[in-house]
Every structure is written in C-alpha cells, then in structure tokens.
Amino acid sequence: MLKMQDVSKVYRTDLIETYALREFSLEVSAGEFVAITGPSGSGKTTFLNVAGLLENFETGSYRIDGTDVRGLSDDQRSRLRNERIGFIFQSFNLIPDLNIYDNVDVPLRYRRLSTRERHERIGSALDLVGLSSRMKHMPSQLSGGQQQRVAIARAIAGDPAFLLADEPTGNLDSLMARQVMELLEQINELGTTILLVTHDPELARRAQRNVHLVDGQISDFRTYEPRAAPDAGLAHA
Amino acid sequence: MSLSVRPILSALMRNRTGAVLVAMQVAIALAVLVNALYIVVQRIEKMQRPLGIDVDNIFVVQASGFTDRYDQTSSMREDIDYLRSLPGVVAASPSNGIPLSGSGSATTLTAHPGVHSTDGFNYYEVDEQGLDALGVRLVAGRNFRHGDIEPSRAKNDASSFVSNVILSRATALRLFGQDDPLGKAVYDDLGQSATVVGIVDPVIGAWVGDRHPDWVMFMSRLPSGRYGAVRYLVRTRPGARDAAMQQAESHLSRSNPDRVITFVRTLNYFRDLSYLGDRSMGIYLLTVTLLMVAVTCLGIFALATFNVTTRTRQIGTRRAVGARRADIVQYFLVENGLITTAGVVGGCALALATGYWLSIQYELPRLNLYFLVGGVLLLWGIGQLAALQPARRAATVPPSVATRNV
C-alpha cells in the first residue's frame, strides 16, 4: 500500500543543511495501524508531509499502491491526496466560516462528485463520528473533541485508502483524546489503514506497530499484540 | 464547477463587513463611471459634430475705427479688396459674427407674419463671398450675388430686414418642416420679410453651447460694425493660411491710421477656445473617474490580499485535502466575483438614479443603457483582474502549511 525506500528530505539554508529524513524506509500494508513516535525534531511531521504528498523529497522512492509518486505533477498529487489519503490535523483545521456539513463536503467537492453522492457520504461520515445531528452547527459551536471528530468525518468521507493523523489528540483533554482514539481504532477495524504521529507512548501502544524516529531515521520498530475490541459504542462529547 | 457558489457565499456572509464596503465602493464607482463616461462621450460628440466650415484654412481679422475720420464703408471695401488679392486667398467677406467664437448676433424668425416665436437664430451678415469665405456647402437654391448685397444698416437701426437670406437646413426644417423653403418668405420680429434663396448644410453658428447651434441664417448685407468693429472672414487654400495672415496683419495695421487691427487669428483659435470648457470637463471627469476606478481596484485588491493572508492555513488545508492550484484561484475569483456582482447590481440602481437626477437637474439626455451594460462589464472585469494576483498568490500556498502548528 505504502512503500518508502531510502527517502531523504533535506531543508537547506545558506549556511546549513538539515536532514529531516535520512534514507528512511518504511512499508505499510493495507489495514495496518502504525504509530510514528519520536522526540521533537525527529522528523515525524516531515514524514507525514512526505507520506501525504504535502511535500516533495530529495532522494529515494515512494510508492502508493504501486504508483511512484515522484514523477507526479502538482495536479496529480492533489488528486491522489483527494482520492487516496485522509488527513487529520492536530488543530483540526476546520474552516471556521463553513458549517459542519460544508466542512465535510470540502474534499468531496474537489472530487467533483454528484450532489447526491456527496450528501450520502457526508451523512454516513457524520453518522460514524456521531455528529449527524450537528450538521448545521458552526465549528465554533462545538467542543474540541467534536471538532476533531468532524475533521475525522471529513477525512473518511472520501473513503481514503489510508489516514494520516498528525497528533490528533494533541489539543484535547484525556477524555476527548480517548474518544478520538477509539474512533480511529473503529475506523481502522473497518479496513482503513492509519498512520498516527504522536508524542504519547500510551496512544502509540494502542497501534499495531510503532515506528520510532530519531534524527530522521528509524531507531526502533515495535510490534504490539492485537488490541481488544473497544468498549461498546462510542462515547460522544 | 468544483466550487459551487453556495458555500462561498455563506462563508462570505459570515465575514461581510469588508465585502459590503468593497461592494459599496464598486457601486459608487459604477455610478460615477457610467455617468461620467456618458457625459464625456456627449462632449466628444459635441466637439466632433460636423461644422460645415473649412475651419483649418480660415482666419479672422477684426478692425476697429477710433477717429472721427474713420469711414467704415470705404475702409471695409479697401480691406476686403486687399484681402482678396492676397496669394492663396480663396474668398473673403466682412461678417458681423465669427463662427464658433461665442461672438455673433441672433434674431427671432417665423415663417408667418405676426406669429410670435422665441426661437433664436444665429445670423451672419455677409457679402457675396460669405459662403465661400466659410467654405459652407450650398445644397439648394443659389448663393448671394453682388447685386443682392445691401449696405450696412445704420447703427442701432433694427427697422429693416433684408431682401434675401440663405438658411441652414436645420433652420429651414424648423420654420417650414418638410416643405420646400426656396422662394418662401421668413419674417423677423417686426414682421418684415426676406426671401429664402438658398439652403446650406451643414453649418454652425457662433455659440457651440447652444441647444441648436445649427439654426443659422445668412443675410445679404454688409455688417453694421456695431461697437465700431468690423470683422473679415478669410479662407485660403490649404497651406496658405499662415502666410496670408502675416501679410494681412502687416499690411492692414499700417494701411489706415484711423483704425486699429484688434486681432488676426485663425478660426482654429476660436474653436479651441469655445471647446476648452468641454475638453477640460472631459479630462477632469475622465481623471476623476479613472482615479475612482483605480481606488476601487485597490480596495478589491486589498480585500482579496487580506483574505488570502488571513486564510493561509485554510488554503493549505484545502490543498491538503485535494484542491488543485486552479481550485484555489477559482475560489478567490468566485468570492470576488460575488462581491463585485453585488456591487454592480447596486451600482446599476445608483447609476440610473444619478443619471435621472442629472437629466432633470442639468437638462442632459437620459443615461444610455448601453453605457450601463458596458460599465458593468468593464468594472466587473477590472474587479476580477484586481483579485487575480492575490488569488494566484493564494494558489502558491503549499499544502504542508496545513500541518504547521503556529
């Protein structure tokens, strides 16, 4: 599904070169839940940016579903992001001037789906995150946990092959963080591959695999036992 | 269209202060633009209307007697003979008025005796070379003959009309409608008659600002030289005017010690002077309008730039979830298009109201709707161009901005 081979990403200034990723190799199979951990500056976000086609890389190869992304045009990368990748950001990144429905609709419009299909997908996604009754609410009317669930709905509405989650619980209190994590686990169990960038070792432990980064390189791989099924239902904040 | 209007409109409505201000600016700019351009075009049409006079090859001499020995009749005869003898001169005639100069005479005229009329007709008192001296085209009837020309009327004598007159076509239409005016009589306000012997077209009188500057009549009489001044209209062949002017000024200023040559000027001078107000008004209006449109464009540009700057994260997020650069450009152009459209819709009402008020207040023609349509398209297009650069800058925001936690 996702295969990086010897990928390097360098940030250059006039004086220094900084390797954010150095000969980084990682293979993620369909349906996996992988946590990416590491200290600040270790390259976690850079990895997420490269994996999500938000940034280019200098050397190495990167394939998504067998497609080499290196030669893709900007428009092709946009399309691939839109159709294959779902993003969940630490700060939710909802558009404050759009209501919940329209926020979830944003990537679907870029895919040029019909109104009916978009409506169905938005309904399903908001159902899954337990916010279908809040469609007309504005983001500012929701709690942080609810906003993150809207962001998750936006990420999954397009039925992506994998989700990239960047510290999705970083701005949430522990209760909301747990709810969001349970939601991600539920989505993963429905078949969506998830790559989770986090500082939190407890969250990382809930993934099937933990990739630990230091200085842009993988310092440790750890595989965990399959987790127990989440408690019945999802608590709603 | 991947970006339908509804979500953009609904987002716009939640932050409408800036948008409303810019839309109002667009509306005012449209009202000013359309009405100002309409007025300017009217002025240009006024300046470009056919004069029927060979303006470029005519000069005018004015002479004023100042001694008791001054004999206007003989002096006029000598001057005219001299002017006609100059190389390159086609024709010369004494005249009471100067076309396009703002200086002339007018009288009321009717086609029936005893009928009161307030219509004023500009008249030229000229001799048999009067029409040629102006280069006016005779379209019917005949020119004055030497024998038609009557002596000058005594000063302050309004009691006698002339035997023969030549009318402009506009004058004939006013007096006789579609009837053939040749051979018919026209009457002055004392009920005295003259016979119409010819029709000229086109021709313009002394006052370019008149509602009917082409209501003109030529009278077969030497001018009376009221206020002691006589004028000569002199037409030359192309290229000969300036030399003839110099010669005329040099000779006439010395030929008679009992009078002074007040001026020798080209007819272009008078035309330019008469249209100076129109030209200045046109330039002023165009300048103000251009400045206003420029300020409006700056307003649009500033709002679009502000929106781009304050939405960098949002743009990055849109890019991250699949927006192409073209989608981002389109988003901001649609948003700006909505603001500009609201502005031009309001501007249409404002422009029509302003046009109506101007037409009532200053007796101007009603605003031509083609100008309104043109103004709307122009302002809308310029508005979109003003937003294009910020929109394109927005498209350069990288998608990775979405993951930056600033």
Side-chain angles (χ1 to χ4, degrees), chain B residues 90-370:
Chain B
V90 174
S93 171
S95 172
N96 61 319
I98 303 170
L100 304 162
S101 69
S103 174
S105 307
T107 184
T108 55
L109 274 184
T110 63
H112 306 285
V115 174
H116 177 71
S117 169
T118 55
D119 288 347
F121 294 85
N122 185 198
Y123 69 85
Y124 294 108
E125 293 173 307
V126 293
D127 70 10
E128 71 278 11
Q129 287 198 11
L131 298 190
D132 285 342
L134 289 174
V136 175
R137 192 167 57 100
L138 189 71
V139 294
R142 67 169 177 83
N143 199 345
F144 296 138
R145 298 179 187 122
H146 182 70
D148 294 332
I149 307 305
E150 299 170 26
S152 302
R153 192 167 53 169
K155 284 176 184 157
N156 304 321
D157 173 16
S159 63
S160 59
F161 203 17
V162 289
S163 301
N164 300 307
V165 293
I166 294 171
L167 305 181
S168 68
R169 192 191 294 279
T171 301
L173 279 171
R174 177 64 181 171
L175 295 176
F176 302 105
Q178 295 302 321
D179 293 347
D180 182 3
L182 290 177
K184 288 200 167 66
V186 291
Y187 299 86
D188 67 7
D189 49 4
L190 297 176
Q192 301 173 107
S193 69
T195 305
V196 179
V197 298
I199 301 294
V200 292
D201 188 58
V203 69
I204 194 161
W207 301 290
V208 298
D210 256 14
R211 183 177 286 188
H212 302 289
D214 53 355
W215 284 4
V216 172
M217 172 175 68
F218 290 89
M219 297 168 72
S220 56
R221 182 169 66 198
L222 296 175
S224 63
R226 234 184 279 190
Y227 314 116
V230 291
R231 284 126 175 207
Y232 307 121
L233 304 171
V234 186
R235 185 163 72 98
T236 67
R237 287 197 303 271
R241 185 195 63 188
D242 293 348
M245 271 179 75
Q246 276 190 338
Q247 276 186 273
E249 184 167 10
S250 171
H251 175 83
L252 294 177
S253 59
R254 286 183 281 107
S255 65
N256 186 338
D258 296 320
R259 61 99 200 275
V260 64
I261 301 301
T262 321
F263 60 73
V264 180
R265 286 191 175 124
T266 64
L267 194 55
N268 278 330
Y269 168 84
F270 293 104
R271 181 195 58 190
D272 293 347
L273 208 59
S274 284
Y275 286 129
L276 186 61
D278 295 304
R279 188 175 293 111
S280 302
M281 169 74 88
I283 292 169
Y284 174 77
L285 283 177
L286 276 181
T287 306
V288 169
T289 305
L290 284 177
L291 282 175
M292 193 149 205
V293 170
V295 168
T296 305
C297 286
L298 281 177
I300 292 170
F301 176 82
L303 181 66
T305 301
F306 176 78
N307 286 339
V308 169
T309 307
T310 54
R311 294 185 199 158
T312 306
R313 168 68 71 90
Q314 183 188 130
I315 296 164
T317 303
R318 286 181 182 274
R319 291 278 285 135
V321 301
R324 298 167 303 152
R325 286 185 175 138
D327 293 323
I328 300 297
V329 172
Q330 191 185 41
Y331 180 94
F332 282 97
L333 289 185
V334 169
E335 183 180 70
N336 182 69
L338 289 171
I339 296 168
T340 313
T341 301
V344 296
V345 168
C348 283
L350 195 57
L352 288 171
T354 308
Y356 178 74
W357 181 78
L358 286 172
S359 70
I360 299 293
Q361 199 73 14
Y362 299 102
E363 297 186 347
L364 295 173
R366 288 280 173 82
L367 178 63
N368 187 325
L369 291 183
Y370 285 116

Side-chain angles (χ1 to χ4, degrees), chain A:
Chain A
M1 140 140 315
L2 181 157
K3 187 176 181 183
M4 285 187 184
Q5 190 71 43
D6 296 329
V7 167
S8 291
K9 171 71 184 174
V10 186
Y11 292 107
R12 290 188 175 87
T13 66
D14 290 342
L15 297 175
I16 54 169
E17 273 188 353
T18 307
Y19 274 84
L21 289 179
R22 190 189 293 268
E23 295 174 355
F24 181 94
S25 297
L26 177 70
E27 191 165 347
V28 178
S29 304
E32 270 196 285
F33 193 135
V34 180
I36 315 293
T37 58
S40 287
S42 61
K44 299 189 300 294
T45 299
T46 301
F47 160 75
L48 187 121
N49 285 347
V50 170
L53 307 180
L54 304 181
E55 283 191 72
N56 282 315
F57 52 94
E58 270 71 35
T59 58
S61 73
Y62 174 29
R63 292 177 177 273
I64 297 176
D65 291 336
T67 303
D68 187 353
V69 302
R70 202 169 171 76
L72 298 181
S73 67
D74 191 76
D75 280 1
Q76 288 170 320
R77 293 165 72 88
S78 294
R79 185 171 176 182
L80 202 55
R81 278 197 300 272
N82 182 258
E83 293 180 356
R84 305 293 291 159
I85 307 171
F87 288 94
I88 301 165
F89 305 100
Q90 181 177 353
S91 305
F92 324 136
N93 290 21
L94 298 179
I95 294 171
D97 301 322
L98 297 180
N99 64 27
I100 303 313
Y101 182 96
D102 287 335
N103 261 287
V104 179
D105 194 21
V106 169
L108 304 181
R109 283 184 183 274
Y110 292 127
R111 202 186 290 191
R112 292 150 179 81
L113 298 175
S114 68
T115 305
R116 184 177 173 182
E117 186 171 357
R118 288 191 347 251
H119 184 73
E120 285 171 0
R121 283 175 180 250
I122 295 166
S124 301
L126 286 174
D127 264 346
L128 186 66
V129 301
L131 288 171
S132 52
S133 61
R134 304 285 187 100
M135 282 182 179
K136 298 299 173 191
H137 283 62
M138 302 303 290
S140 58
Q141 296 172 301
L142 303 182
S143 68
Q146 287 172 323
Q147 288 188 47
Q148 191 60 296
R149 278 154 51 196
V150 174
I152 291 170
R154 179 180 64 190
I156 62 173
D159 195 19
F162 61 97
L163 287 183
L164 293 174
D166 182 18
E167 303 274 12
T169 59
N171 285 353
L172 303 177
D173 62 30
S174 57
L175 175 64
M176 288 182 179
R178 189 171 62 84
Q179 291 169 351
V180 165
M181 200 58 201
E182 285 169 356
L183 181 57
L184 290 177
E185 287 166 354
Q186 187 186 9
I187 291 166
N188 176 241
E189 279 162 11
L190 292 171
T192 305
T193 309
I194 296 178
L195 280 84
L196 169 74
V197 169
T198 181
H199 275 104
D200 187 340
E202 286 302 314
L203 291 181
R205 220 187 308 279
R206 296 177 71 158
Q208 295 157 9
R209 186 152 60 111
N210 184 2
V211 176
H212 190 73
L213 289 183
V214 175
D215 294 336
Q217 291 179 304
I218 295 174
S219 74
D220 189 21
F221 273 111
R222 197 167 294 174
T223 308
Y224 301 106
E225 291 297 316
R227 59 181 171 270
D231 296 341
L234 290 166
H236 297 163

